Amino acid sequence: MFRRTLALSFRFCGFRSAAAHRGPNVAVVLSGCGVYDGTEIHEASAILVHLSRSGAEVQVYAPDVSQMHVVDHIKGEPAGGSRNVLVESARIARGKIMDLGKLTAQDHDAVIFPGGFGAAKNL
């Protein structure tokens, strides 16, 4: 009983230990890797850094589908071949990524969709 009272008094006084504080659960949905055919990398990186610094619990998702088309980012023109959105998004997420089909809205406090043409093309 004493421990519970002490914890409650700290909470009301505005003090929280790092172990007691749990940040919001945030889902970040990626759409590939690269501004012209996927997620804009700078936006995704900035979002992930800021969420990490704020203590948020982050899970990255992407659809397990083929990209609409592949773009040569040097020329800004369509290139041949095919790429998977989930596999390409894993480059940004450093492999810690899940299929978008497994995202459950009730498990998250927010969902963020970083920009890039892939959001319109692949999502």
Side-chain angles (χ1 to χ4, degrees):
M1 180 64 178
F2 174 75
R3 289 180 118 173
R4 183 170 181 222
T5 305
L6 184 60
L8 287 173
S9 64
F10 277 134
R11 191 170 301 134
F12 285 114
C13 293
F15 300 111
R16 291 193 217 183
S17 72
H21 176 67
R22 183 181 85 50
N25 285 322
V26 179
V28 176
V29 179
L30 303 180
S31 57
C33 183
V35 67
Y36 299 127
D37 58 3
T39 298
E40 206 289 322
I41 299 166
H42 290 106
E43 285 188 26
S45 297
I47 287 167
L48 293 170
V49 166
H50 286 286
L51 288 171
S52 173
R53 287 181 180 172
S54 69
E57 300 290 326
V58 178
Q59 179 59 57
V60 181
Y61 295 89
D64 189 6
V65 297
S66 293
Q67 286 184 195
M68 182 178 180
H69 65 276
V70 177
V71 174
D72 178 334
H73 282 73
I74 293 174
K75 297 177 183 175
E77 299 173 354
S82 175
R83 293 185 181 165
N84 180 280
V85 175
L86 181 64
V87 172
E88 292 300 304
S89 297
R91 295 170 185 269
I92 298 171
R94 294 183 168 184
K96 187 182 172 198
I97 193 165
M98 293 179 67
D99 182 358
L100 182 58
K102 295 183 180 180
L103 188 146
T104 305
Q106 295 85 350
D107 294 341
H108 297 89
D109 300 306
V111 179
I112 299 174
F113 296 84
F117 290 109
K121 294 177 180 180
N122 301 323
L123 299 181

